[in-house]
Structure formats: structure tokens, C-alpha cells
Amino acid sequence: MSETSNFLPNTDTRVFLLAYFEMEEGKVDDFKAVAKIASDKVRENEEGCLSFGFVFSQDSPTAFFRESYVDGDAVLTHLKVAEDVLPQFFACSKLKSIEVHGPAEEIEKAREPLTKMGATFWSLDQDLSFSK
């Protein structure tokens, strides 16, 4: 058995959302409270969410938000579920950047609403990727 025999042909449909938020001075606890609300809401309402998490800088009031979804349709569901939480994030932070990574056909499903948020889009090359 060759070393590559446990790799599957890549038919990856996952879409990743990666965002940086700069929290306002004195608002880190507020931001974390909103993040908890968002996390609970996503966990309870989104079967298509594969992962959802926040990472906080030790050097600046910056949070990195990373999410992954089974496909572009799941991203659209997420945007609907989270639409009432986003204003709460913006009340205590500023969205510095948001990137969307995934197969072009999946990204296209959510391009319009994410473009309005200032997203940049990165397309997966299936020929240069693999999954186990």
C-alpha cells in the first residue's frame, strides 16, 4: 500500500471565514460577551458549521475570528442566523478585515453579502489540495 493510498480525491466544499476585529479601548469584556452569545447561537442553530472560534492577541486589543462551514449554503445560513448579533460586535469593535477561503463555486453563493462587508475572496485549487 502506498503512502498516498489513504488520501481521498479532493472534492472539498468547505468555506472558511477569517476576520480580524480591533476592539475599542475598555471593550474587550463586552466583545467577549457578544462572542459568547454568537457562539451559543451558532452552536444551537447551524448544523452546517464545522468550527467556530475566537483567538485573542496577547499584544493588542485584536481578536481573530475563524469559522468553517460545509459549503456556501451553510455560510448563507450563518449570515441569517448572525444578522442580529453583528451590530453588537460593531458597537464594541471595528472589523479590520475579512477573508473568505474555499472552492470558487461555493464562495460565489455567499459573495454578495460578504462583499458588502468588505471581504476578500481566495479560491481553492482542488488539483493542489487533498483530504484524508
Side-chain angles (χ1 to χ4, degrees):
M1 186 178 267
S2 75
E3 282 186 34
T4 60
S5 63
N6 61 343
F7 293 102
L8 303 172
N10 198 4
T11 55
D12 193 354
T13 60
R14 294 174 298 168
V15 177
F16 298 84
L17 302 181
L18 310 165
Y20 286 92
F21 286 89
E22 185 177 310
M23 295 169 282
E24 293 180 19
E25 188 173 330
K27 300 277 187 165
V28 173
D29 289 340
D30 293 346
F31 185 92
K32 287 183 175 183
V34 175
K36 174 70 170 131
I37 292 167
S39 179
D40 290 346
K41 191 169 188 174
V42 169
R43 184 180 294 116
E44 294 169 9
N45 296 293
E46 296 185 38
E47 288 183 30
C49 181
L50 298 171
S51 65
F52 186 92
F54 287 87
V55 180
F56 293 89
S57 171
Q58 295 180 348
D59 302 315
S60 68
T62 304
F64 176 67
F65 181 49
R66 54 188 182 155
E67 322 168 48
S68 63
Y69 296 90
V70 296
D71 58 21
D73 292 321
V75 172
L76 288 173
T77 297
H78 171 67
L79 294 173
K80 289 177 187 165
V81 168
E83 69 185 347
D84 64 325
V85 179
L86 282 174
Q88 295 175 57
F89 276 117
F90 298 141
C92 56
S93 66
K94 180 179 179 182
L95 179 63
K96 298 301 283 181
S97 67
I98 183 168
E99 294 182 2
V100 183
H101 297 206
E105 59 274 10
E106 297 300 327
I107 289 173
E108 284 307 313
K109 295 175 182 179
R111 180 180 288 276
E112 184 179 340
L114 291 169
T115 296
K116 292 176 184 174
M117 296 177 72
T120 57
F121 301 90
W122 300 72
S123 296
L124 174 70
D125 187 321
Q126 298 280 14
D127 294 332
L128 301 175
S129 304
F130 65 86
S131 298
K132 283 190 172 187

